[in-house]
Amino acid sequence: MALLPAIGGFFLLGPSWRGGLLLLAWALCYCAQFTIGRWFFSHRARRYAAPAAIYGLATLAVGIVLLLSAPALLRWVPIYLILGALSFLAANLHQERSLWGNAVVVLAASGICLLASSLGGIFANNLQVSSPGKSLVCQTDYAVYCWADGWLPAQVIPQVGLAGAAIFALAEFGSVLFVKTMIRERGSHPYYYLSVGWNIVLVGLALFTSHALGYWPAAVAVILLARAVLIPVLAPKRTPIIYIGLEECLASLLVLAAVLSLAPLAIPLAPIVD
């Protein structure tokens, strides 16, 4: 769930070497977040200090290389600093598995889909063709180098990547609610109704946008709704966690497929720079 949004964004608008570097940086960042979170959770226990430092330094090193190769990605750094701080706060307060703590992680992971897609070859080439009035550097890769139109202009946000990030965020938070109904909140009627209600809203949004995004996201949303309704009721009370994990892997792959189904829409949905 943490890595698939990055993988989806990497392929959505065409792989690139910068996108591959972002994938590596995000994988290391996930490891750093986990180990540093453990360090905070344990109130700075010494046994977690070395892994936290190693992954933290590795993430910093790869992150610096990535930013040197794509300096315009600096525009996203403040957002991720805030999300990172909130994640570590949740760990320090022993609330990393609370709904707000889970939401922070979901937002951070899903947002990487947008960043990775902005580095995609199709997006860069489309901007290059449609940006004759910009400087040569901007035409080469607007989302990577150019700051000409302010901090966060529409030109650096591929609409397909934004849609993919939204699909991941909505589906993954729905998965958070579903897993709680299966493990920590098993038998809780409020959590069950919240999980089902969230997935009903997800189906409604998918159907409402199906004219623009196609019907595959809606089909996946219906499958996720059926899961949220039926499995907590039909599954044995002592369902092994590994089975829940395997089901989540399958659900996450379906969401990835729904996002990748947007790829044919990439060129018409890419923003046009006058």
Side-chain angles (χ1 to χ4, degrees):
M1 290 175 67
L3 294 177
L4 284 183
I7 295 172
F10 177 73
F11 288 106
L12 188 57
L13 286 168
S16 68
W17 68 269
R18 289 188 181 90
L21 196 57
L22 178 63
L23 271 177
L24 175 60
W26 180 246
L28 289 171
C29 183
Y30 173 77
C31 295
Q33 187 275 339
F34 181 83
T35 53
I36 295 173
R38 291 293 90 194
W39 184 63
F40 276 113
F41 187 86
S42 65
H43 297 292
R44 275 70 69 186
R46 182 175 297 178
R47 66 181 180 275
Y48 293 113
I54 291 170
Y55 280 119
L57 291 173
T59 302
L60 181 62
V62 176
I64 289 174
V65 174
L66 175 64
L67 290 174
L68 288 174
S69 67
L73 287 179
L74 281 168
R75 56 171 47 96
W76 302 102
V77 168
I79 296 174
Y80 274 86
L81 286 177
I82 293 171
L83 291 173
L86 289 173
S87 174
F88 294 140
L89 176 63
N92 195 50
L93 296 175
H94 290 199
Q95 294 182 16
E96 57 187 348
R97 299 192 183 276
S98 64
L99 287 180
W100 74 268
N102 290 145
V104 168
V105 176
V106 167
L107 285 174
S110 301
I112 290 295
C113 178
L114 175 59
L115 272 67
S117 65
S118 73
L119 299 177
I122 295 174
F123 184 59
N125 292 337
N126 193 46
L127 285 176
Q128 183 176 356
V129 170
S130 58
S131 308
K134 296 298 179 182
S135 69
L136 179 61
V137 170
C138 291
Q139 287 186 44
T140 302
D141 202 328
Y142 195 97
V144 171
Y145 293 111
C146 194
W147 297 83
D149 290 336
W151 185 261
L152 193 60
Q155 291 88 341
V156 303
I157 302 178
Q159 294 179 30
V160 171
L162 184 61
I167 290 172
F168 273 120
L170 292 170
E172 289 198 349
F173 192 73
S175 287
V176 167
L177 296 175
F178 167 74
V179 170
K180 287 186 183 296
T181 67
M182 294 298 295
I183 302 177
R184 293 176 178 269
E185 302 295 339
R186 188 69 188 266
S188 169
H189 289 102
Y191 266 91
Y192 177 75
Y193 295 139
L194 180 59
S195 174
V196 172
W198 183 272
N199 282 278
I200 289 174
V201 172
L202 189 57
V203 170
L205 289 173
L207 290 173
F208 180 74
T209 59
S210 60
H211 66 286
L213 303 181
Y215 287 98
W216 180 243
V220 172
V222 170
I223 294 172
L224 296 181
L225 173 60
R227 173 193 67 166
V229 172
L230 297 175
I231 293 182
V233 175
L234 300 178
K237 290 186 177 181
R238 296 184 179 274
T239 302
I241 292 178
I242 188 172
Y243 293 156
I244 300 172
L246 290 172
E247 181 279 330
E248 279 303 292
C249 288
L250 178 60
S252 296
L253 289 175
L254 287 174
V255 174
L256 174 63
V259 170
L260 292 179
S261 74
L262 306 180
L265 307 175
I267 293 178
L269 283 183
I272 301 301
V273 183
D274 297 328

